[in-house]
Amino acid sequence: MPQRSVTYRSSFSIGLVIVVAVLAVFLTVDAAVRGFWGIAVITALWSLAIIAPLALFLALPRLTADQAGLTCVGPVSTWAIPWSKVDTIRTRRLLLVETTEGKVITLFSVPSRPMGMRSAQSTDLGDEIEAIRRDWEGHSDPDAMATRSIHRRGLIVVGAAVIAAIIASIVL
């Protein structure tokens, strides 16, 4: 079987963020064209305050399965889990990765097969990841540890956008 690397994302979530961003741009441009500059500034700041968390919580999450192991990118943090530390992968309305150290990593916004799909060839997302795991078995360092990094920059941008929108609403 060929060795592969796969990234899973929720295309619906990305589409939703794009639709909201387009609507926000339309409302901001409409206010600016009509000559309401104060309203346009407030609309732009509140649009950013809404789109930034949506992008963080809906568009950023993904799961990558490759030679190194699983990379679970969530809205707040990223987990890098080597294959030697992955114990169980379960999917039920969300993805749960249990490590050999007893940690459970949850990823909410990962696509899976549609609920109504009853094809004999359809597989669960967990089964697909297990197949990739078998492809790369033995290639990861047995002494590697699962690591977690916090998305400080993204959280700071979201906080700054909300604070700027609140201040602009009070001042203008």
Side-chain angles (χ1 to χ4, degrees):
M1 181 174 274
Q3 295 177 343
R4 56 191 169 173
S5 173
V6 179
T7 299
Y8 299 94
R9 288 183 170 262
S10 175
S11 57
F12 174 78
S13 297
I14 293 169
L16 181 63
V17 172
I18 291 170
V19 167
V20 171
V22 167
L23 178 63
V25 168
F26 172 77
L27 292 173
T28 303
V29 169
D30 181 55
V33 167
R34 291 175 188 240
F36 303 118
W37 291 101
I39 299 298
V41 169
I42 291 174
T43 303
L45 289 172
W46 275 109
S47 296
L48 183 63
I50 291 169
I51 293 168
L54 280 180
L56 191 65
F57 282 89
L58 296 178
L60 180 65
R62 66 184 174 278
L63 174 73
T64 301
D66 58 12
Q67 179 181 1
L70 291 177
T71 304
C72 300
V73 179
V76 177
S77 64
T78 297
W79 282 92
I81 311 162
W83 289 121
S84 60
K85 299 297 179 192
V86 174
D87 185 31
T88 308
I89 301 166
R90 292 181 291 159
T91 54
R92 198 154 254 235
R93 294 180 181 82
L94 47 92
L95 179 87
L96 296 170
V97 178
E98 294 180 26
T99 66
T100 56
E101 300 161 346
K103 294 178 187 162
V104 177
I105 292 103
T106 305
L107 195 59
F108 295 92
S109 184
V110 173
S112 60
R113 298 282 188 237
M115 296 297 279
M117 188 174 181
R118 299 286 182 200
S119 172
Q121 296 177 347
S122 71
T123 58
D124 186 31
L125 178 62
D127 296 336
E128 292 177 21
I129 296 170
E130 283 295 335
I132 295 169
R133 179 183 182 181
R134 284 189 299 273
D135 289 349
W136 291 109
E137 198 166 35
H139 285 86
S140 72
D141 181 15
D143 297 328
M145 301 297 291
T147 59
R148 179 182 185 198
S149 60
I150 304 294
H151 299 156
R152 287 181 183 89
R153 205 173 320 148
L155 295 171
I156 288 170
V157 167
V158 168
V162 171
I163 290 170
I166 291 170
I167 290 172
S169 295
I170 292 171
V171 172
L172 295 178

